[in-house]
Amino acid sequence: MITLSDKVYVDVLTEFSKDGLLIPKEITWEDGRKYEITRVKDKRRAANTKAGGVGERYTCVVDGKEIFLFYEDNNMWFMERAGA
C-alpha cells in the first residue's frame, strides 16, 4: 500500500546545460543534509510504483550509490523513502 510517507519531497540544486537540459547537482534531504550528485546516468519518463507519482526519472549517483530522483509535472522533486 502506498502512503504519503513513502514519497519524500526534496530541494534540488540544478543547472541548465548549454543545450537547455535540466541537470540535478545536489539534493537537500528533509532533515537538511545535502548530498552531491556526482553523475546522472539516465533520464526518462517513468512512474514510481512504490511511492506513487510520475515524471522525469533521473538515475543519479550519490555517494557511490545509484538512486532515483523524480521531477514531477508539478515542478517538484521527490525520492522514495528508504525501506518504503
Side-chain angles (χ1 to χ4, degrees), residues 5 7-11 28-33 81:
S5 61
K7 182 189 281 190
V8 178
Y9 285 98
V10 292
D11 289 330
T28 302
W29 194 246
E30 59 189 345
D31 64 3
R33 289 181 289 165
R81 187 178 303 280

Side-chain angles (χ1 to χ4, degrees), residues 50-63:
K50 291 183 182 178
V54 67
E56 296 296 321
R57 183 185 76 190
Y58 290 78
T59 304
C60 303
V61 178
V62 175
D63 289 337

Side-chain angles (χ1 to χ4, degrees), residues 46-78:
N48 183 303
T49 56
K50 291 183 182 178
V54 67
E56 296 296 321
R57 183 185 76 190
Y58 290 78
T59 304
C60 303
V61 178
V62 175
D63 289 337
K65 297 178 183 168
E66 196 172 277
I67 59 105
F68 292 133
L69 177 64
F70 289 84
Y71 186 62
E72 288 185 316
D73 295 336
N74 63 2
N75 300 322
M76 294 175 70
W77 294 90
F78 79 89

Side-chain angles (χ1 to χ4, degrees), residues 39-57:
R39 183 172 168 217
V40 176
K41 295 175 74 174
D42 184 55
K43 178 189 147 203
R44 67 181 65 205
R45 185 103 179 133
N48 183 303
T49 56
K50 291 183 182 178
V54 67
E56 296 296 321
R57 183 185 76 190

